[in-house]
Amino acid sequence: MLNELRKKHSKLFEKSKINKAKNLERLIDILSSFQLSAVKEDVKGLAFEHFIHSYTRGTKNDLGQYFTPRHIVRMMVHFLRPQINETIYDPFCGTGGMLIECFRYINQHISSQRHKAILKNKTLFGRDNSSVARIAMMNMIMFGDGHSNIQQGDSYAMLDESKHKYDIVITNIPFSQTTDYAASYPVVPSGIKNGDSIGVQHCLESVKNKPSGRAAIIVPIGFFYKKELAAERRHIFKHWQIERFVELTPQCFQPYTMQQTAIMFLRRNTPLKSYLYFHVKQDGYSQDGYRIPLPGENDIDKTMDGIGPKKILIETKEIARFKRIDLIVRKNEIPLGDIAQVTAGAGNISPKTKINDIISGTEPIMMVKDLARSHIDYSLDYSTFEINRSAIEKKSPYLFPQNTTLIPVTGQASLKNHRALLAVPSYATSTLAGIESKGDFHPYCLFYFFLNYDVEKITYDLGYPGISTQTLVEIGVPNYTKKEAQDIIKRVSDAVELSKQLKNIRSEIEKEA
């Protein structure tokens, strides 16, 4: 019995030593009492999360590299619909979650022992460059086997072993990696060692060259529009049929990472002239680090039902973006640029790096920290730092007047809808943009508009989220009627006065303390 187990699972237990057969038999008796195959998969997933946290402690690895949330994986498998006698490959398999979900899906649709044997031995293939590949084997054993084709290795370097070999490729590529094997692939990236490019290309090159070949690949959202990846996108437009793209919000991978991602669903077939683009904002869990399940229909359900996609026409010119921000100014709207001046904060002034600019400062210079303090501030009059006269004279930063609306335009803060209405003239750092009214459009109406505007619609993520001031000027602002404008001005005015009163009371209390 001991020799049989060693032979069957030699790769998994090659570093383990149990010298006495009786000890092994006793261990098997103990483990056999646990019916892991009957345990809900999410519970086992949580156990593996805890294990991997310990396993990777002290390294640069994080759980987001290994563990794709299971509800995201289930959506991917739903669209791929793997069948028995098809081969499935995950070149960056981590703990094996995607292969396990494919195993479960196929297993539910077969009954014969011959098909069961094919599923376990000839269907699932995976590779990971770290020793986590061993954990994938263990994980797959718990879910019913199928682990024998998991190996540890560098997929970037092993294109010859996988080229045109698999019916389906499903994976979450490792982000922001580098590789020395770019020359083996159809498109040599502009950043010669760009792992995002080669990761996607490895997946596509591994799909069988026939119409039924298909892939589902999670990529960083920057893959959809980074200029340096334009050649890769044109290659996909030319050679692949894009079935759908699904953009995920950063919260989908909480609490592992806030990296924004998207899923590409591709098929080897005649390229189409358009594709469907879905945006998942609510995935059925609270949008924070706690990720508490929420009842009711969510955007994952809608996406799987084909509800609410945007149809995007394919254009291969210039940088061939997969995602485009289509700003349509509707009938009763006005382009922001017609009614307001949009100005970026001082690009060459940052208190974090230009400490001399704020030594003995006298004039307020606002930053994201000041907006985040209250989240919504109707009378922002306090800045963490103050800029000195010398820096003002040398760098000539723009002085925003009172009643300018400030919003964050870089980093995660750009997604948090922090808003402030300046109570005093102030400078601002490059992380902020100021919107100041021109003409007859009241500044309080502008502030009101941005309190309710979903900036995620105009946010790009090029490694980190950001909003272009050029994009801002193109968004449509409601052309409020005179009555609507008067009502808004009254309500905001009341809030401004109340905000000032509360700040005065707080200041008095703090002085007494």
Side-chain angles (χ1 to χ4, degrees):
M1 180 178 180
L2 178 62
N3 290 333
E4 290 178 2
L5 284 167
R6 281 177 171 167
K7 182 178 180 181
K8 183 177 180 181
H9 302 298
S10 60
K11 291 182 180 179
L12 182 56
F13 297 110
E14 58 188 3
K15 294 184 180 180
S16 303
K17 291 184 179 181
I18 302 177
N19 296 320
K20 295 182 179 180
K22 287 187 176 180
N23 290 342
L24 180 59
E25 291 173 3
R26 175 60 179 154
L27 179 61
I28 292 172
D29 288 339
I30 293 172
L31 293 177
S32 296
S33 66
F34 298 99
Q35 299 298 317
L36 291 176
S37 60
V39 176
K40 188 178 178 182
E41 59 271 15
D42 290 341
V43 176
K44 283 182 277 191
L46 289 172
F48 265 90
E49 288 182 51
H50 178 78
F51 175 74
I52 297 165
H53 268 304
S54 300
Y55 184 82
T56 61
R57 187 177 293 134
T59 72
K60 294 182 179 180
N61 297 325
D62 65 79
L63 194 56
Q65 178 179 346
Y66 303 121
F67 193 88
T68 305
R70 294 299 175 257
H71 63 299
I72 303 298
V73 177
R74 282 192 286 270
M75 177 180 65
M76 296 169 71
V77 175
H78 166 83
F79 284 121
L80 288 172
R81 289 181 168 79
Q83 306 295 315
I84 193 65
N85 292 318
E86 288 188 316
T87 51
I88 304 165
Y89 173 50
D90 184 346
F92 313 104
C93 67
T95 59
M98 292 189 176
L99 294 175
I100 288 168
E101 192 60 35
C102 290
F103 182 99
R104 290 181 64 254
Y105 182 92
I106 296 174
N107 196 41
Q108 291 171 354
H109 294 84
I110 60 175
S111 56
S112 74
Q113 290 304 310
R114 183 175 70 86
H115 283 163
K116 298 282 186 182
I118 292 173
L119 175 59
K120 288 184 176 182
N121 301 308
K122 298 181 180 180
T123 300
L124 307 171
F125 299 81
R127 187 183 297 122
D128 199 275
N129 200 27
S130 73
S131 56
V132 171
R134 289 159 57 87
I135 300 175
M137 295 181 198
M138 287 188 263
N139 204 358
M140 295 182 76
I141 288 172
M142 289 203 307
F143 279 89
D145 212 347
H147 76 284
S148 56
N149 299 311
I150 303 296
Q151 63 177 214
Q152 183 175 344
D154 183 354
S155 291
Y156 299 123
M158 303 173 75
L159 178 59
D160 289 343
E161 295 185 19
S162 61
K163 189 166 186 176
H164 297 168
K165 185 177 179 180
Y166 303 101
D167 295 285
I168 295 172
V169 173
I170 179 172
T171 197
N172 180 357
I173 71 167
F175 299 172
S176 304
Q177 302 294 305
T178 60
T179 178
D180 293 322
Y181 298 96
S184 303
Y185 292 85
V187 179
V188 177
S190 57
I192 189 67
K193 296 185 177 183
N194 190 314
D196 290 352
S197 167
I198 301 307
V200 171
Q201 290 192 69
H202 179 86
C203 295
L204 301 184
E205 288 297 292
S206 299
V207 177
K208 286 182 178 178
N209 194 11
K210 61 179 187 179
S212 61
R214 55 205 187 275
I217 310 167
I218 297 179
V219 296
I221 191 67
F223 189 87
F224 279 24
Y225 39 74
K226 278 187 174 180
K227 186 175 182 180
E228 60 266 32
L229 293 167
E232 287 83 348
R233 292 192 293 272
R234 282 194 290 267
H235 178 78
I236 291 173
F237 278 140
K238 183 177 180 180
H239 297 285
W240 289 81
Q241 180 187 109
I242 301 170
E243 293 193 322
R244 64 186 56 79
F245 287 148
V246 179
E247 179 180 348
L248 306 173
T249 58
Q251 288 78 14
C252 283
F253 276 74
Q254 283 269 51
Y256 320 129
T257 177
M258 280 289 286
Q259 171 76 60
Q260 190 178 11
T261 61
I263 311 172
M264 304 192 300
F265 292 89
L266 308 170
R267 180 180 290 270
R268 278 203 188 276
N269 211 329
T270 304
L272 301 177
K273 294 183 179 180
S274 65
Y275 53 89
L276 299 180
Y277 195 103
F278 296 83
H279 191 178
V280 172
K281 295 183 178 180
Q282 173 51 258
D283 65 336
Y285 293 81
S286 61
Q287 301 297 289
D288 53 31
Y290 296 104
R291 300 295 281 153
I292 299 170
L294 301 175
E297 188 179 47
N298 57 70
D299 291 340
I300 295 285
D301 300 328
K302 293 177 182 178
T303 298
M304 292 170 68
D305 291 338
I307 299 173
K310 179 190 293 184
K311 186 176 181 180
I312 297 182
L313 297 177
I314 291 177
E315 296 177 5
T316 58
K317 299 177 182 178
E318 298 179 357
I319 61 175
R321 289 190 175 111
F322 288 162
K323 176 188 177 183
R324 291 192 298 277
I325 294 176
D326 297 320
L327 296 172
I328 300 173
V329 178
R330 294 177 174 82
K331 183 177 180 180
N332 293 318
E333 293 181 338
I334 312 168
L336 180 63
D338 290 355
I339 57 175
Q341 176 177 313
V342 179
T343 309
N348 56 353
I349 295 178
S350 172
K352 290 184 178 180
T353 58
K354 303 294 184 181
I355 193 68
N356 289 334
D357 294 338
I358 59 173
I359 294 175
S360 301
T362 58
E363 304 298 325
I365 178 167
M366 301 300 177
M367 55 192 303
V368 170
K369 183 178 181 179
D370 301 315
L371 275 65
R373 186 182 297 109
S374 299
H375 177 54
I376 302 296
D377 197 326
Y378 286 84
S379 60
L380 181 61
D381 60 358
Y382 172 82
S383 60
T384 305
F385 296 100
E386 294 179 322
I387 187 172
N388 57 46
R389 296 306 308 175
S390 175
I392 294 172
E393 292 171 2
K394 289 180 181 178
K395 301 180 179 180
S396 301
Y398 184 76
L399 180 65
F400 292 100
Q402 182 181 359
N403 289 333
T404 295
T405 295
L406 292 182
I407 68 170
V409 290
T410 62
Q412 292 298 332
S414 62
L415 297 171
K416 295 183 181 296
N417 286 325
H418 298 315
R419 300 288 180 264
L421 189 64
L422 278 180
V424 294
S426 175
Y427 301 100
T429 61
S430 57
T431 54
L432 300 173
I435 297 96
E436 80 186 84
S437 177
K438 61 184 183 182
D440 297 328
F441 205 90
H442 200 282
Y444 285 3
C445 292
L446 279 177
F447 185 66
Y448 175 83
F449 167 75
F450 277 100
L451 288 180
N452 297 280
Y453 186 73
D454 180 10
V455 295
E456 194 167 352
K457 295 189 296 187
I458 59 170
T459 303
Y460 276 132
D461 189 336
L462 301 176
Y464 61 95
I467 302 170
S468 164
T469 54
Q470 182 56 45
T471 301
L472 278 172
V473 301
E474 297 176 12
I475 63 178
V477 179
N479 187 13
Y480 300 116
T481 65
K482 185 176 181 180
K483 185 176 183 305
E484 288 173 334
Q486 288 174 342
D487 179 61
I488 291 170
I489 293 167
K490 174 66 168 59
R491 291 162 64 193
V492 175
S493 295
D494 291 344
V496 169
E497 290 304 313
L498 181 60
S499 177
K500 290 179 180 178
Q501 292 174 26
L502 290 174
K503 287 184 178 182
N504 289 334
I505 293 172
R506 185 182 67 185
S507 178
E508 290 174 3
I509 293 174
E510 290 174 351
K511 287 178 181 178
E512 293 173 359

